[in-house]
């Protein structure tokens, strides 16, 4: 990575920390769902893809992987929490156990929308696994059943998370040294 980019980044989570935590989550989820016929792992495009792939490799239970694409208008635009589905699920989740995999829960608005939407399809169960959790910025309370790491109020990139489509392929999670007001 060029120097001018490296200067803007402060590493929060190393590759080793992430690898270890993802393995723990995979083990816990496999244990919790042991004995079920099939789990549908739903990864939210695009940020959660790196996490969902690594997590799925650590599952020892039968599962199918599907993707839901969303575009959110963000917490500052009006009306709040408006999310548009840009790619719907291919799998029918009626009476299926569903694990929704997110990259980060921040205000909770996106997850709130997704949970409501998926529940209308009558899954047998619906749980949420988020790689990162920023509980300090919640606008709506949302259930997060499995979380990788709680982080402070910083804008983070890497391991799937982008800033203007960049940094997704970083193997670490780093804070972008700019605050949310852009100063
Ligand atoms: P929420 O609706 O919970 O505020 O945010 C959900 C989405 O906003 C996340 O799935 C993610 O795409 C994006 N987001 C929120 N906080 C961050 C952040 O710190 N870094 C990045 N790269 N994306 C974020």
């Amino acid at each position: 990575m060029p120097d001018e980019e490296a200067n803007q980044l402060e590493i929060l989570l190393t590759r080793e920390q992430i690898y270890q935590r993802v393995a723990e989550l995979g083990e816990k989820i496999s244990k919790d769902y042991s004995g079920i016929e099939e789990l549908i792992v739903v990864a939210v495009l695009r940020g959660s893809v790196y996490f969902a792939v690594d997590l799925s490799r650590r599952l020892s239970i039968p599962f199918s992987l599907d993707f839901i694409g969303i575009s959110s208008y963000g917490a500052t635009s009006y009306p709040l929490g408006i999310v548009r589905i840009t790619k719907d699920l291919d799998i029918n989740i009626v009476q299926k156990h569903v694990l929704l995999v997110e990259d980060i829960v921040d205000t909770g608005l996106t997850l709130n929308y997704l949970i409501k939407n998926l529940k209308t399809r009558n899954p047998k169960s619906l749980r949420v696994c988020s790689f990162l959790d920023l509980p300090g910025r919640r606008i709506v309370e949302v259930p997060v059943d499995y979380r990788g790491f709680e982080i402070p109020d910083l804008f983070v990139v890497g391991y799937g998370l982008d800033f203007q489509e960049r940094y997704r392929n970083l193997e670490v999670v780093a804070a972008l040294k700019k605050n949310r007001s852009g100063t």
Side-chain angles (χ1 to χ4, degrees):
M1 160 190 352
D3 278 343
E4 65 274 17
E5 279 183 42
N7 287 339
Q8 300 172 357
L9 300 172
E10 185 190 336
I11 294 178
L12 289 184
L13 300 169
T14 64
R15 209 166 79 153
E16 291 71 28
Q17 283 174 303
I18 295 170
Y19 182 88
Q20 173 66 27
R21 187 68 188 127
V22 172
E24 285 168 9
L25 282 174
E27 201 176 310
K28 169 92 174 103
I29 291 166
S30 301
K31 207 165 148 197
D32 289 356
Y33 284 100
S34 70
I36 67 156
E37 235 167 68
E38 191 191 23
L39 178 66
I40 314 291
V41 176
V42 173
V44 184
L45 295 172
R46 287 172 292 218
S48 81
V49 166
Y50 292 69
F51 174 51
V53 167
D54 285 350
L55 180 69
S56 69
R57 279 199 273 239
R58 309 307 298 230
L59 296 178
S60 54
I61 46 167
F63 71 90
S64 296
L65 181 60
D66 202 353
F67 298 91
I68 191 161
I70 51 156
S71 131
S72 83
Y73 294 98
T76 50
S77 53
Y78 182 82
L80 279 182
I82 292 294
V83 178
R84 190 167 55 90
I85 292 188
T86 54
K87 187 234 164 265
D88 207 347
L89 296 176
D90 292 319
I91 298 175
N92 184 345
I93 61 166
V94 178
Q95 286 307 306
K96 299 278 168 91
H97 294 286
V98 175
L99 181 67
L100 185 60
V101 178
E102 257 289 20
D103 52 358
I104 185 167
V105 184
D106 189 353
T107 62
L109 292 167
T110 306
L111 186 55
N112 187 50
Y113 171 86
L114 280 171
I115 289 173
K116 278 191 184 151
N117 182 294
L118 295 182
K119 275 192 174 163
T120 64
R121 307 177 195 204
N122 296 318
K124 194 176 233 168
S125 71
L126 176 61
R127 288 188 191 164
V128 174
C129 176
S130 183
F131 174 55
L132 299 177
D133 191 359
L134 244 145
R137 282 177 38 93
R138 264 321 176 276
I139 291 177
V140 279
E141 275 318 306
V142 279
V144 180
D145 302 280
Y146 305 97
R147 63 170 59 73
F149 300 91
E150 259 189 39
I151 56 163
D153 182 9
L154 296 164
F155 188 83
V156 292
V157 293
Y159 201 60
L161 288 149
D162 76 307
F163 173 61
Q164 296 176 347
E165 289 304 320
R166 293 171 67 199
Y167 306 112
R168 284 194 202 277
N169 59 341
L170 289 183
E171 290 183 288
V172 298
V173 169
L176 251 199
K177 286 188 186 167
K178 69 172 197 60
N179 67 33
R180 287 179 186 275
S181 58
T183 54

